[in-house]
Amino acid sequence: MNAAKKEAAEQMENIDLVIEVLDARLPEASCNPLVDQLRNFRQRPCLKILNKTDLADPVATAAWKAFYEARKGVTAYPMTTKKPLDVARIPDLALSLAPHRGVPTKPLRIMIMGIPNVGKSTLMNALLKKRVAKVGDEPAVTKVQQKLYLGKHTVLVDTPGMLWPKIAMASDGLMLAASHAIGTNALIEEEVAEFLGNLLLERYPQLLTARYGMKTDGLDGISLIEHVAARRGFRVRGGEFDYEKGAHTLLQDYRTGALGRISLETPASRAAALAQHAAEVAEKTRLAEEKAAAKAEEAARGKRGS
């Protein structure tokens, strides 16, 4: 990740436009803060691809498009790589953000960025209409930066998926894990499924009822997973329901779209989460300062006593 960050910073000076691929189900949670830092420093415009819209709540996606396009130099484009017509619009959208480029003497130079497993490599292959980037259902498939040509006057620079060193909000990490942007070795699947279950019960109970044929009143994430295991007949030796398989099924049904079109965050829920996080940080800071002051006072009393 550090090597990828350094290389991206060096390349940013020599490009005209950033295409950032986001997961439409969790745009801000899947947005690496480093991308905006690097491009704002170099004053580069950005085409934010809200990918996997076929899996996302269309109402939430429309709100995210308006949210991003309120920013200077940003165009948001909801799409899915499964639709060739969606992909075909990208070159013209990119050129509209850098109209002074895209000619023989000044080719349009584009850097494609995004965190692992948001569909960056699939997008590259769809744009170039050939397999030039390795695609897989695991994060961090792209390992090195590569330069490719989209037509005669457009250059694409692909970068490895980059996660940032520390995810500040636990909910972001859980949303990323639920959406498979974090490898399975780095998480406890049951905990992620419980988080997802609670969120779905709050926002999409009707989809759970439609998929699993059960009433959701009074359920929490844990009991939801138990119901999924029971519904699917997952049992371990001794007759107990297989909680692990139930958790995995819930996650897979979300990831594949079997549950329906779901967004894990909206601009409104994001604002609320940030406000709560800021309050928690302020409280931790206050307690730390009080502890430090009490320790200093105790030390001062000791010195006066001696």
Side-chain angles (χ1 to χ4, degrees):
M1 294 296 179
N2 286 332
K5 174 183 175 181
K6 182 179 179 181
E7 194 166 359
E10 291 172 352
Q11 285 287 346
M12 191 68 68
E13 183 180 359
N14 302 312
I15 62 102
D16 307 299
L17 168 72
V18 173
I19 290 182
E20 183 182 13
V21 185
L22 305 173
D23 189 323
R25 298 169 296 179
L26 54 154
E28 279 294 277
S30 64
C31 178
N32 187 339
L34 175 67
V35 174
D36 280 339
Q37 290 172 18
L38 291 176
R39 73 171 190 84
N40 287 331
F41 179 73
R42 293 291 179 184
Q43 296 183 325
R44 301 296 189 254
C46 183
L47 176 60
K48 288 186 181 282
I49 301 288
L50 301 177
N51 194 27
K52 305 183 182 181
T53 52
D54 55 317
L55 301 176
D57 185 330
V59 175
T61 299
W64 281 116
K65 178 175 170 60
F67 173 86
Y68 285 120
E69 293 193 337
R71 299 179 180 179
K72 183 179 179 182
V74 175
T75 292
Y77 180 43
M79 61 158 287
T80 170
T81 52
K82 295 176 183 177
K83 294 183 179 180
L85 288 177
D86 283 3
V87 177
R89 286 196 61 206
I90 292 176
D92 287 340
L93 287 170
L95 191 58
S96 71
L97 287 166
H100 58 294
R101 309 293 301 195
V103 295
T105 55
K106 292 182 179 180
L108 177 60
R109 301 162 300 178
I110 301 172
M111 181 182 286
I112 298 188
M113 306 183 77
I115 68 168
N117 213 35
V118 289
K120 193 161 57 66
S121 294
T122 302
L123 177 63
M124 289 282 292
N125 293 340
L127 277 170
L128 294 156
K129 297 179 182 178
K130 58 183 178 180
R131 189 180 177 87
V132 295
K134 187 177 179 182
V135 176
D137 191 32
E138 284 294 330
V141 170
T142 302
K143 302 294 184 183
V144 296
Q145 193 174 85
Q146 57 180 333
K147 188 175 290 186
L148 303 152
Y149 289 86
L150 178 61
K152 294 180 179 179
H153 312 311
T154 303
V155 180
L156 299 178
V157 179
D158 187 22
T159 58
M162 294 185 295
L163 280 172
W164 47 109
K166 183 179 180 181
I167 298 173
M169 295 195 295
S171 58
D172 280 359
L174 290 164
M175 283 191 282
L176 289 167
S179 303
H180 213 17
I182 297 175
T184 54
N185 292 334
L187 56 91
I188 299 173
E189 202 167 54
E190 292 88 340
E191 290 183 4
V192 178
E194 288 167 16
F195 166 83
L196 176 65
N198 284 321
L199 189 151
L200 295 177
L201 286 165
E202 178 184 347
R203 300 183 194 171
Y204 299 98
Q206 73 283 4
L207 295 183
L208 293 172
T209 298
R211 178 65 176 171
Y212 303 120
M214 61 189 183
K215 294 181 179 179
T216 59
D217 295 343
L219 296 184
D220 60 9
I222 293 173
S223 54
L224 170 62
I225 294 170
E226 291 172 345
H227 274 72
V228 172
R231 189 74 179 178
R232 293 290 184 266
F234 297 145
R235 294 182 182 274
V236 295
R237 186 174 297 177
E240 295 284 334
F241 291 120
D242 192 328
Y243 192 77
E244 184 178 347
K245 278 190 177 180
H248 182 75
T249 296
L250 179 64
L251 288 171
Q252 285 299 103
D253 283 353
Y254 158 69
R255 290 167 179 167
T256 62
L259 276 171
R261 299 178 69 176
I262 290 167
S263 290
L264 300 187
E265 61 176 356
T266 65
S269 72
R270 184 71 185 181
L274 288 172
Q276 181 179 345
H277 177 66
E280 290 171 355
V281 170
E283 179 63 11
K284 286 181 180 178
T285 301
R286 183 187 67 81
L287 292 173
E289 288 174 350
E290 287 183 355
K291 186 176 180 180
K295 189 174 181 179
E297 176 62 24
E298 185 178 347
R301 284 200 303 269
K303 286 182 180 180
R304 287 196 296 270
S306 61

